[in-house]
Amino acid sequence: KDVYVKAHLEKDGWVDYGKITKDTVIGTTGKSKRLECLCLKGDFKYRVHIQGTGWTCWTNADGICTLGSVGQSLRIEAIEII
């Protein structure tokens, strides 16, 4: 199944990763930047755990809904996909 991802990164804003593979790294490594928000498109449901807020509701990965926060300086701490 194809999965497409956009992510909002601290100081970088929205980054379009396009169609991802099992080797795609979403976010940064070694730069101490928050992954703040995700926009996923594919045939699955997902939810994220946001710093200080907890789990969001389950969302269909239709590419329209985004989960996380933008402009609130909160990080995504976990993601669950079914």
Side-chain angles (χ1 to χ4, degrees):
K1 295 183 181 182
D2 293 340
V3 176
Y4 297 85
V5 177
K6 292 180 184 176
H8 192 275
L9 307 176
E10 176 185 7
K11 297 182 182 175
D12 292 340
W14 285 104
V15 177
D16 188 349
Y17 290 86
K19 182 179 168 184
I20 63 169
T21 68
K22 65 181 180 88
D23 298 319
T24 303
V25 175
I26 300 167
T28 63
T29 58
K31 295 183 179 180
S32 300
K33 291 187 178 182
R34 286 184 303 274
L35 177 59
E36 298 177 337
C37 195
L38 291 172
C39 179
L40 304 174
K41 184 177 180 182
D43 185 20
F44 55 90
K45 289 185 177 184
Y46 69 106
R47 67 181 183 161
V48 297
H49 191 276
I50 301 172
Q51 172 189 357
T53 302
W55 287 103
T56 62
C57 295
W58 285 102
T59 301
N60 289 322
D62 57 12
I64 297 169
C65 291
T66 56
L67 291 178
S69 65
V70 175
Q72 297 179 34
S73 298
L74 300 173
R75 68 182 172 268
I76 290 177
E77 298 180 323
I79 183 169
E80 187 174 12
I81 297 173
I82 58 170

